[in-house]
């Protein structure tokens, strides 16, 4: 029997009703590298203390070797993973059997902005798309499938963050 999202979330929802401050979570990531002088490589630990180090490289379009995932690849991965999780959890809550699921994220950037070649070109991605291939059991109605899609987009934290970005502060600490 599959784990139930409802069962897992019920005590949490009760707890958060009583103490809303407990619903605030903080995620972490930190980078390190073999050599701080290597301009093309580092590593990121996507959850502090987890012990997983993901190699990070620089895209060939800005002079790197693109021999490891780039920060842009990791941003795409974050959106794909979050949308995948949201779909799985909402489907479970709605009692929809997922038979297949693949989320593919594509992001497009004009790197002239990052290379400071043209002030009119913004630094960053100009477009992102999230393509979801999904197969559900035959007994799922069209209406239920549409509700799943709307709910999964609405509760995908990464997608909603990208759509309405929070302020980001950068501090340089010596």
């Amino acid at each position: 029997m599959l784990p139930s999202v409802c069962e897992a979330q019920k005590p949490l929802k009760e707890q958060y009703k009583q103490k809303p401050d407990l619903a605030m979570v903080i995620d972490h990531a930190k980078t390190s590298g073999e050599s701080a002088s290597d301009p093309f490589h580092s590593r990121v630990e996507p959850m502090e203390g987890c012990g997983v180090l993901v190699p990070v490289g620089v895209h060939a379009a800005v002079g790197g070797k693109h021999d490891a995932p780039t920060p842009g690849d990791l941003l795409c991965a974050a959106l794909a993973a979050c949308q995948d999780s949201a779909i799985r959890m909402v489907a479970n809550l709605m009692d929809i059997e997922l038979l297949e699921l693949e989320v593919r994220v594509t992001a497009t950037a004009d790197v002239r902005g990052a290379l400071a070649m043209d002030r009119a070109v913004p630094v960053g991605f100009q477009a992102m798309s999230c393509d979801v291939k999904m197969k559900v059991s035959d007994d799922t109605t069209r209406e239920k499938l549409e509700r799943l899609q709307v709910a999964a987009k609405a509760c995908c934290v990464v997608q909603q963050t990208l759509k309405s970005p929070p302020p980001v502060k950068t501090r340089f600490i010596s």
Side-chain angles (χ1 to χ4, degrees):
M1 181 152 191
L2 291 175
S4 166
V5 173
C6 185
E7 289 173 18
Q9 290 181 347
K10 187 176 180 179
L12 294 171
K13 288 180 178 183
E14 286 300 318
Q15 183 179 35
Y16 300 154
K17 281 181 189 175
Q18 302 300 317
K19 296 180 181 179
D21 57 312
L22 295 178
M24 295 298 294
V25 299
I26 300 174
D27 288 341
H28 301 271
K30 73 176 184 177
T31 64
S32 63
E34 296 286 325
S35 167
S37 63
D38 181 350
F40 301 116
H41 300 96
S42 69
R43 297 177 302 211
V44 65
E45 186 177 20
M47 182 179 86
E48 200 166 344
C50 74
V52 174
L53 295 174
V54 179
V56 179
V58 175
H59 202 288
V62 294
K65 297 180 181 180
H66 206 161
D67 54 353
T70 68
D73 294 323
L74 296 175
L75 179 63
C76 289
L79 177 54
C82 191
Q83 190 64 80
D84 181 281
S85 297
I87 292 165
R88 290 172 187 275
M89 291 182 74
V90 172
N92 184 279
L93 285 166
M94 295 178 67
D95 201 28
I96 295 174
E97 183 184 3
L98 288 174
L99 303 175
E100 293 177 25
L101 179 61
E102 177 185 284
V103 179
R104 181 177 297 268
V105 174
T106 305
T108 305
D110 182 336
V111 297
R112 292 177 299 159
L115 293 171
M117 294 176 59
D118 186 341
R119 290 184 186 262
V121 178
V123 176
F125 291 113
Q126 287 85 38
M128 292 184 83
S129 64
C130 187
D131 297 323
V132 179
K133 283 186 187 176
M134 182 170 51
K135 190 173 186 180
V136 296
S137 60
D138 290 337
D139 63 341
T140 306
T141 66
R142 182 170 205 71
E143 294 78 23
K144 202 170 182 181
L145 183 59
E146 287 172 4
R147 286 197 327 268
L148 166 64
Q149 293 168 355
V150 169
K153 285 192 290 188
C155 71
C156 176
V157 173
V158 173
Q159 185 175 101
Q160 294 308 316
T161 301
L162 289 168
K163 286 183 173 184
S164 300
V168 177
K169 297 178 207 171
T170 300
R171 296 179 297 173
F172 290 89
I173 304 165
S174 297

